[in-house]
Amino acid sequence: FKAYDIRGQVPDQLNEDVAYAIGIAYASFLGPERVVVGHDIRLSSPDLTKHLVEGLTDAGVEVTHIGQCGTEEIYFATEHFEMDGGIVVTASHNPKDYNGMKLVREGSRPISGDTGLDDIRKIAEEWLAGDRSRSVSRKKGSVTPLAHRDDFLDLLMTHLNLVTLKPLKIVVNAGNGAAGPVLLWITVCRGAGRGEAPAAAGRDACAAASASSSSPSGLNIASLPKVGATPLSATQTLRPM
């Protein structure tokens, strides 16, 4: 537990039991009804998220799961969908054998050491030491998937005036991170508007994304792209949507 988030090596410092205890502790401290959860592209993230969610639901929390995402998408979803809090499993730029969590409360307000993170740490440590005074709820919470990305993209696009913006050619290297699918969808897959199926060329490009740096990969964290790698369609023309 650091000043503003949680970081640790997997599994020595952060593992399934710790993730579960953090879920119990977060729910005990905050008392939320609905919490949105997501995770980054690290290989350990889905399993840690699974046990975090189990801790939350055992404490009676209704969990909304947005799956693989960037931290900013958790911040967005927490406020946009009026959740009581949000947690993203991520270790940001740290090496691939690390993982962690960022926690927010309603309105996407960060939970730091002086606003609750130290309390959550204490509760989690007590739980791991065998103190079950923070008992699980008699009524287990449920898990509901949420397709949030269209709403997230709508917000992003409000920062651009596509009527006055001249066509641009932009080179993007997403570094195999979680932002890759968002960038790809904006530039290639979204078509002329929300929900419109991409043209044939766009569909082919989306299908080929697994071979590019826009494809998330937990193996390439905190490292440069391989020399000689050919990114998918290095330039895309940004035009009014």
Side-chain angles (χ1 to χ4, degrees):
F1 281 74
K2 298 185 179 295
Y4 300 101
D5 52 30
I6 301 167
R7 293 286 184 266
Q9 282 188 292
V10 179
D12 295 340
Q13 297 171 315
L14 181 58
N15 53 43
E16 298 171 356
D17 292 338
V18 174
Y20 180 88
I22 291 172
I24 290 287
Y26 179 93
S28 177
F29 172 76
L30 204 59
E33 293 184 7
R34 300 193 306 149
V35 172
V36 61
V37 169
H39 61 80
D40 70 7
I41 53 86
R42 293 169 185 272
L43 300 181
S44 61
S45 291
D47 196 50
L48 290 174
T49 304
K50 173 185 175 183
H51 288 83
L52 168 69
V53 168
E54 287 178 357
L56 290 168
T57 55
D58 281 352
V61 176
E62 298 295 322
V63 173
T64 297
H65 203 321
I66 65 173
Q68 183 179 283
C69 65
T71 301
E72 64 280 359
E73 293 177 77
I74 285 291
Y75 295 162
F76 163 79
T78 301
E79 182 171 4
H80 182 75
F81 297 105
E82 299 182 342
M83 299 289 175
D84 300 312
I87 304 176
V88 58
V89 175
T90 179
S92 188
H93 61 280
N94 284 268
K96 61 186 177 182
D97 58 330
Y98 278 74
N99 217 320
M101 299 181 195
K102 288 181 178 288
L103 288 61
V104 296
R105 58 191 308 153
E106 73 279 359
S108 288
R109 290 183 291 160
I111 299 177
S112 58
D114 57 356
T115 59
L117 196 58
D118 289 341
D119 298 286
I120 292 172
R121 174 189 57 78
K122 182 179 179 181
I123 297 170
E125 288 176 345
E126 291 171 350
W127 179 272
L128 290 168
D131 182 355
R132 296 297 185 263
S133 59
R134 313 276 184 172
S135 59
V136 298
S137 173
R138 292 182 179 180
K139 181 181 179 182
K140 185 178 178 68
S142 62
V143 182
T144 304
L146 174 66
H148 71 292
R149 193 152 284 163
D150 261 333
D151 289 323
F152 179 59
L153 294 179
D154 283 344
L155 174 65
L156 294 185
M157 299 311 290
T158 63
H159 296 285
L160 293 175
N161 186 338
L162 295 177
V163 175
T164 60
L165 183 66
K166 296 179 180 180
L168 302 171
K169 286 190 175 181
I170 303 172
V171 177
V172 175
N173 187 323
N176 298 111
V182 176
L183 292 168
L184 186 68
W185 191 248
I186 288 175
T187 57
V188 180
C189 306
R190 209 175 191 214
R194 178 172 174 170
E196 179 175 326
R203 289 196 299 270
D204 292 343
C206 293
S210 60
S212 77
S213 60
S214 293
S215 180
S217 171
L219 297 174
N220 294 333
I221 293 172
S223 62
L224 295 173
K226 293 181 180 180
V227 175
T230 303
L232 164 70
S233 193
T235 59
Q236 298 293 338
T237 302
L238 182 61
R239 298 184 182 280
M241 303 176 71

